[in-house]
Coordinates of all heavy atoms in Angstrom, one line a residue:
Chain Q
H137 N -20.1 -12.6 10.0 CA -20.5 -13.9 10.4 C -19.8 -14.3 11.7 O -19.9 -15.5 12.1 CB -20.3 -14.9 9.3 CG -20.9 -14.5 8.0 ND1 -22.3 -14.7 7.8 CD2 -20.5 -13.9 6.9 CE1 -22.6 -14.2 6.6 NE2 -21.5 -13.7 6.1
G138 N -19.0 -13.4 12.3 CA -18.5 -13.7 13.6 C -17.0 -14.1 13.7 O -16.5 -14.2 14.8
V139 N -16.4 -14.2 12.5 CA -15.0 -14.7 12.6 C -14.0 -13.4 12.6 O -14.3 -12.5 11.8 CB -14.6 -15.7 11.5 CG1 -14.7 -15.0 10.1 CG2 -13.2 -16.2 11.7
T140 N -13.1 -13.4 13.5 CA -12.1 -12.3 13.5 C -10.7 -13.0 13.3 O -10.6 -14.2 13.0 CB -12.1 -11.5 14.8 OG1 -11.9 -12.3 15.9 CG2 -13.4 -10.7 14.9
F141 N -9.6 -12.2 13.4 CA -8.3 -12.8 12.9 C -7.8 -14.0 13.7 O -7.3 -14.9 13.1 CB -7.3 -11.7 12.8 CG -7.4 -11.0 11.5 CD1 -8.1 -9.8 11.4 CD2 -7.0 -11.6 10.3 CE1 -8.3 -9.1 10.2 CE2 -7.2 -11.0 9.1 CZ -7.9 -9.7 9.1
P142 N -8.0 -14.0 15.0 CA -7.5 -15.3 15.7 C -8.3 -16.5 15.1 O -7.7 -17.6 14.9 CB -7.9 -15.0 17.2 CG -7.8 -13.5 17.3 CD -8.4 -13.0 16.0
G143 N -9.5 -16.3 14.8 CA -10.3 -17.4 14.2 C -9.8 -17.8 12.8 O -9.7 -19.0 12.5
L144 N -9.5 -16.8 12.0 CA -9.1 -17.1 10.7 C -7.7 -17.8 10.7 O -7.5 -18.8 10.0 CB -8.9 -15.8 9.9 CG -10.3 -15.1 9.5 CD1 -10.0 -13.7 9.0 CD2 -11.0 -15.9 8.5
Y145 N -6.8 -17.3 11.5 CA -5.5 -18.0 11.6 C -5.6 -19.4 12.3 O -4.8 -20.3 12.0 CB -4.4 -17.1 12.3 CG -3.8 -16.1 11.3 CD1 -4.3 -14.8 11.2 CD2 -2.8 -16.6 10.4 CE1 -3.7 -14.0 10.2 CE2 -2.2 -15.7 9.5 CZ -2.7 -14.4 9.4 OH -2.1 -13.5 8.5
A146 N -6.6 -19.5 13.2 CA -6.8 -20.9 13.7 C -7.2 -21.9 12.6 O -6.8 -23.0 12.6 CB -7.9 -20.8 14.8
L147 N -8.1 -21.4 11.7 CA -8.5 -22.3 10.6 C -7.3 -22.6 9.8 O -7.1 -23.8 9.3 CB -9.5 -21.5 9.7 CG -10.9 -21.3 10.3 CD1 -11.7 -20.3 9.5 CD2 -11.6 -22.6 10.4
I148 N -6.4 -21.6 9.5 CA -5.2 -21.9 8.7 C -4.3 -22.9 9.5 O -3.7 -23.8 8.9 CB -4.4 -20.6 8.5 CG1 -5.3 -19.7 7.5 CG2 -3.0 -20.8 7.9 CD1 -4.7 -18.3 7.3
A149 N -4.2 -22.7 10.8 CA -3.3 -23.6 11.6 C -3.8 -25.1 11.6 O -3.1 -26.0 11.3 CB -3.3 -23.2 13.1
V150 N -5.1 -25.2 11.7 CA -5.7 -26.6 11.7 C -5.5 -27.2 10.3 O -5.1 -28.4 10.2 CB -7.2 -26.5 12.0 CG1 -7.9 -27.9 11.6 CG2 -7.5 -26.1 13.4
A151 N -5.6 -26.4 9.2 CA -5.4 -27.0 7.9 C -3.9 -27.4 7.7 O -3.6 -28.4 7.1 CB -5.8 -25.9 6.9
H152 N -3.0 -26.6 8.2 CA -1.6 -26.9 8.1 C -1.2 -28.1 8.9 O -0.5 -29.0 8.4 CB -0.8 -25.7 8.6 CG 0.6 -25.6 8.0 ND1 1.7 -26.3 8.5 CD2 1.1 -24.8 7.0 CE1 2.8 -26.0 7.8 NE2 2.5 -25.1 6.8
M153 N -1.8 -28.3 10.1 CA -1.5 -29.4 10.9 C -2.1 -30.7 10.2 O -1.4 -31.8 10.2 CB -2.2 -29.3 12.3 CG -1.5 -28.1 13.1 SD -2.5 -27.5 14.5 CE -1.8 -28.6 15.8
H154 N -3.3 -30.6 9.7 CA -3.9 -31.7 9.0 C -3.1 -32.1 7.7 O -2.9 -33.3 7.5 CB -5.3 -31.3 8.6 CG -6.1 -32.3 7.8 ND1 -6.5 -33.5 8.4 CD2 -6.4 -32.4 6.5 CE1 -7.1 -34.2 7.5 NE2 -7.0 -33.6 6.3
K155 N -2.7 -31.1 6.9 CA -2.1 -31.4 5.6 C -0.7 -31.9 5.8 O -0.2 -32.7 5.0 CB -2.2 -30.1 4.8 CG -1.7 -30.3 3.3 CD -2.1 -29.1 2.5 CE -1.8 -29.4 1.0 NZ -2.2 -28.3 0.1
Y156 N 0.1 -31.3 6.7 CA 1.5 -31.5 6.8 C 2.0 -32.2 8.0 O 3.2 -32.5 8.2 CB 2.3 -30.2 6.6 CG 2.0 -29.5 5.2 CD1 1.4 -28.3 5.1 CD2 2.4 -30.2 4.0 CE1 1.2 -27.7 3.9 CE2 2.2 -29.6 2.8 CZ 1.6 -28.3 2.8 OH 1.4 -27.7 1.5
G157 N 1.1 -32.4 9.0 CA 1.5 -33.0 10.2 C 2.2 -32.1 11.2 O 2.9 -32.5 12.1
T158 N 2.1 -30.8 10.9 CA 2.7 -29.8 11.8 C 2.1 -30.0 13.2 O 0.9 -30.2 13.3 CB 2.4 -28.4 11.3 OG1 2.9 -28.3 10.0 CG2 2.9 -27.3 12.2
T159 N 2.9 -29.9 14.2 CA 2.5 -30.2 15.6 C 2.2 -28.9 16.4 O 2.7 -27.8 16.1 CB 3.5 -31.0 16.4 OG1 4.7 -30.2 16.6 CG2 3.9 -32.3 15.6
R160 N 1.4 -29.1 17.4 CA 1.1 -28.0 18.3 C 2.4 -27.4 19.0 O 2.6 -26.2 19.1 CB 0.1 -28.5 19.4 CG -0.6 -27.6 20.4 CD -1.1 -26.3 19.9 NE 0.0 -25.4 20.0 CZ -0.1 -24.1 20.2 NH1 -1.2 -23.5 20.4 NH2 1.0 -23.3 20.3
K161 N 3.3 -28.4 19.3 CA 4.6 -28.0 19.9 C 5.4 -27.1 18.9 O 6.1 -26.2 19.3 CB 5.4 -29.2 20.3 CG 6.7 -28.9 20.9 CD 7.4 -30.1 21.5 CE 8.8 -29.8 22.0 NZ 9.8 -29.5 20.9
Q162 N 5.4 -27.5 17.6 CA 6.1 -26.7 16.6 C 5.6 -25.2 16.6 O 6.4 -24.3 16.5 CB 6.1 -27.3 15.3 CG 6.9 -28.6 15.2 CD 6.7 -29.5 13.9 OE1 5.7 -29.3 13.2 NE2 7.5 -30.4 13.7
L163 N 4.3 -25.1 16.7 CA 3.8 -23.7 16.7 C 4.4 -23.0 17.9 O 4.8 -21.8 17.8 CB 2.2 -23.7 16.8 CG 1.5 -24.2 15.6 CD1 0.0 -24.3 15.9 CD2 1.7 -23.3 14.4
A164 N 4.4 -23.7 19.1 CA 4.9 -23.0 20.3 C 6.3 -22.6 20.2 O 6.8 -21.6 20.7 CB 4.7 -24.0 21.5

Side-chain angles (χ1 to χ4, degrees):
Chain Q
H137 305 280
V139 64
T140 57
F141 280 100
L144 291 167
Y145 276 98
L147 290 169
I148 294 173
V150 169
H152 205 278
M153 294 163 91
H154 175 74
K155 187 164 184 177
Y156 297 117
T158 301
T159 66
R160 188 40 276 211
K161 177 171 175 291
Q162 289 170 343
L163 291 175

